[in-house]
Amino acid sequence: MTSVEVSLKTLLTEAEGAVGAAVVDYTSGMALGTLGGGKDLDLNVAAAGNTDLIRAKVRTMEMLGLKSDIEDILVTLGTQYHLIRPVTGRSGNGLFIYLVIDKARSNLAMARRLLKRTEEQIEV
């Protein structure tokens, strides 16, 4: 098991083209930890906004009667991929990992695999 801080450092160093990452509590919208970002990517604002996105998806799935879990959510922008992965298990219920990668310098499939591995190892 790894801490939030170590998990974020691993994401930013191992994900090619990583711009920023956060671990977020989607019950409150607060980031438990952030790393990276910059003037064009305020990770605390992104944490709050993506909380609304994940809540809306969960509500929609409930209204549709879907019994499956969300593996990840991908938002594709002109120059970036924004990935959101809910954390499962006892220690992570109500959390998600948020990763932003540069489209031109990244491998989306590898980033998704890294997020999955991080989600399985994170301890909060």
Side-chain angles (χ1 to χ4, degrees):
M1 294 301 203
T2 58
S3 69
V4 169
E5 182 179 337
V6 171
S7 295
L8 291 173
K9 285 180 183 176
T10 300
L11 279 172
L12 256 59
T13 57
E14 292 186 18
E16 290 182 48
V19 177
V23 175
V24 183
D25 177 346
Y26 69 79
T27 58
S28 68
M30 299 296 293
L32 302 179
T34 63
L35 192 60
K39 66 179 179 83
D40 294 330
L41 178 62
D42 184 329
L43 289 169
N44 289 304
V45 172
N50 286 313
T51 294
D52 292 337
L53 176 66
I54 203 163
R55 286 180 187 162
K57 188 60 189 171
V58 167
R59 264 193 323 272
T60 302
M61 289 175 62
E62 288 171 354
M63 289 187 302
L64 293 171
L66 300 175
K67 303 296 183 204
S68 190
D69 293 325
I70 298 171
E71 285 187 25
D72 58 38
I73 297 171
L74 170 64
V75 177
T76 304
L77 303 180
T79 60
Q80 297 175 333
Y81 293 120
H82 291 231
L83 296 109
I84 300 166
R85 183 166 184 102
V87 178
T88 58
R90 293 182 324 195
S91 68
N93 197 19
L95 303 179
F96 66 88
I97 304 169
Y98 173 59
L99 175 64
V100 178
I101 56 176
D102 182 286
K103 281 174 69 173
R105 299 183 300 124
S106 64
N107 180 320
L108 180 57
M110 293 303 291
R112 290 183 71 215
R113 288 180 57 95
L114 180 58
L115 265 181
K116 182 180 188 307
R117 188 179 81 209
T118 302
E119 181 259 328
E120 291 170 345
Q121 296 175 349
I122 196 166
E123 183 176 293
V124 181

